[in-house]
Amino acid sequence: MNPDHISLHNKQFEPYLSAARLATAIEKLAAQLNQDYADKTPLFVAVLNGSFMFAADLLKALHIPCEISFIRVASYEGTSSTGKVQEVLGLTEEIGGRHVVILEDIVDTGHTMRMLLDTLGDKQPASLEVASLFMKPECLQHELSIRYVGLSIPNDFIVGYGLDFDGLGRNYPDVYKAV
């Protein structure tokens, strides 16, 4: 049973999206990807740490040959974006000529995604797309074309299902929003 409210550091959070709602969104994304990549073998590049649950559940729902790799970037401090993106752990696979799909937990300002699209695009993949579980359209500061979006949400600070507040909260199967 999931708690009615959670407390992380100095903040309170209330239930926002259930694990069942997340599973439905992921199933829809998987169906799109299964169709769009039916004749390809895409490389999924999951952005750590936040996307680990999303990436695991999405790949379990795919029925196409595919590979996965992980990169780590950071642009958050506490509850707000620093606006600076630092690549911490880079991609080791050769992606030239490959179909690449970046897996991200959430796109809000778009700083991280802009940097990733530019960096990976320079390596000349056959195609480069983004699949994000969450998107905050009102927060975008970059023009981005994100083909695969699980859920568009308002500008609420959320935790759970891989998303954290200063390291805490990733382990919850549901998503909570700050109150």
Side-chain angles (χ1 to χ4, degrees), residues 54-120:
F54 169 52
D57 288 343
L58 179 69
L59 262 70
K60 287 187 277 187
L62 293 176
H63 309 295
I64 54 173
C66 62
E67 294 178 45
I68 188 165
S69 188
F70 299 89
I71 58 173
R72 186 170 178 184
V73 294
S75 65
Y76 262 78
E77 256 177 40
T79 62
S80 60
S81 175
T82 64
K84 299 174 188 168
V85 178
Q86 300 172 325
E87 186 171 354
V88 178
L89 177 63
L91 184 68
T92 57
E93 286 80 1
E94 174 57 46
I95 66 168
R98 300 209 47 200
H99 297 282
V100 176
V101 180
I102 301 168
L103 300 181
E104 181 66 290
D105 55 349
I106 189 166
V107 174
D108 45 30
T109 63
H111 294 312
T112 300
M113 198 49 56
R114 178 78 273 144
M115 182 276 296
L116 284 174
L117 288 168
D118 292 345
T119 301
L120 297 180

Side-chain angles (χ1 to χ4, degrees), residues 9-159:
H9 297 296
N10 60 342
K11 282 198 155 316
Q12 299 298 311
F13 296 84
E14 65 185 11
Y16 183 53
L17 296 165
S18 69
R21 178 74 175 96
L22 300 176
T24 299
I26 291 167
E27 285 293 329
K28 287 181 182 176
L29 285 174
Q32 285 180 279
L33 291 162
N34 280 325
Q35 181 178 337
D36 293 352
Y37 291 90
D39 59 343
K40 300 170 179 75
T41 304
L43 171 64
F44 291 94
V45 177
V47 181
L48 295 174
N49 287 339
S51 73
F52 78 99
M53 284 191 183
F54 169 52
D57 288 343
L58 179 69
L59 262 70
K60 287 187 277 187
L62 293 176
H63 309 295
I64 54 173
C66 62
E67 294 178 45
I68 188 165
S69 188
F70 299 89
I71 58 173
R72 186 170 178 184
V73 294
S75 65
Y76 262 78
E77 256 177 40
T79 62
S80 60
S81 175
T82 64
K84 299 174 188 168
V85 178
Q86 300 172 325
E87 186 171 354
V88 178
L89 177 63
L91 184 68
T92 57
E93 286 80 1
E94 174 57 46
I95 66 168
R98 300 209 47 200
H99 297 282
V100 176
V101 180
I102 301 168
L103 300 181
E104 181 66 290
D105 55 349
I106 189 166
V107 174
D108 45 30
T109 63
H111 294 312
T112 300
M113 198 49 56
R114 178 78 273 144
M115 182 276 296
L116 284 174
L117 288 168
D118 292 345
T119 301
L120 297 180
D122 287 346
K123 298 178 185 289
Q124 301 181 333
S127 66
L128 181 59
E129 297 291 346
V130 176
S132 183
L133 180 56
F134 300 108
M135 183 154 174
K136 294 181 179 178
E138 66 192 63
C139 294
L140 276 178
Q141 296 177 16
H142 298 271
E143 193 167 320
L144 297 172
S145 175
I146 300 189
R147 187 170 185 171
Y148 306 100
V149 175
L151 298 163
S152 287
I153 61 171
N155 189 20
D156 293 316
F157 185 73
I158 58 175
V159 298

